[in-house]
Amino acid sequence: MNARKSFIRRRPFSSLVLLLLVIIAGLIWNWRVQLQVFPSIISAYTAKEYCSCRFVMNAPAEYCHSYVKQWLPSTIDEDSLSKRITATGLGRESTAQWEGPRQGCRLLPPVP
């Protein structure tokens, strides 16, 4: 009998887990820019779509809340006088402003 078996033969499950961790680490490194931007997408989508629902389609607030509801939680603050929507999700905040009947809503640049 060979006393020196390879690590893979001695521990096949551990070897598979180690290989999967290396692959996942490689994917995370490859997609690092996209993963950093993802949290901003949630709040931006919510602000823009809610603004369009409320001020372009003139739908009631209850309908628009259900229209933009996502699996990930977000909060919505509406300023009806200035027609501005601020949405927060995953720790990021985005604001959309109604520009007019022909322009609709647009996202405002983040405040530093």
Side-chain angles (χ1 to χ4, degrees):
M1 297 236 162
N2 186 359
R4 296 190 60 187
K5 290 185 179 180
S6 70
F7 179 77
I8 295 172
R9 287 188 182 188
R10 284 183 297 156
R11 304 206 183 266
F13 183 73
S14 298
S15 300
L16 183 62
V17 169
L18 185 62
L19 178 64
L20 286 174
L21 288 174
V22 169
I23 290 171
I24 290 171
L27 289 173
I28 289 172
W29 178 257
N30 191 34
W31 296 336
R32 66 190 179 279
V33 174
Q34 292 86 345
L35 291 171
Q36 289 173 344
V37 174
F38 178 73
S40 300
I41 294 172
I42 300 298
S43 62
Y45 167 83
T46 303
K48 175 79 168 60
E49 290 299 315
Y50 187 86
C51 180
S52 296
C53 182
R54 286 289 288 142
F55 305 125
V56 176
M57 298 183 340
N58 293 317
E62 297 81 26
Y63 172 78
C64 294
H65 273 285
S66 65
Y67 179 73
V68 299
K69 185 173 172 88
Q70 302 176 37
W71 288 95
L72 298 170
S74 59
T75 60
I76 299 171
D77 295 324
E78 178 179 337
D79 183 1
S80 298
L81 294 176
S82 64
K83 295 188 175 183
R84 181 181 297 226
I85 304 297
T86 302
T88 306
L90 292 178
R92 307 283 171 92
E93 183 177 277
S94 297
T95 303
Q97 173 81 40
W98 186 70
E99 296 293 314
R102 293 183 60 95
Q103 297 86 6
C105 293
R106 73 175 175 101
L107 285 171
L108 298 177
V111 178

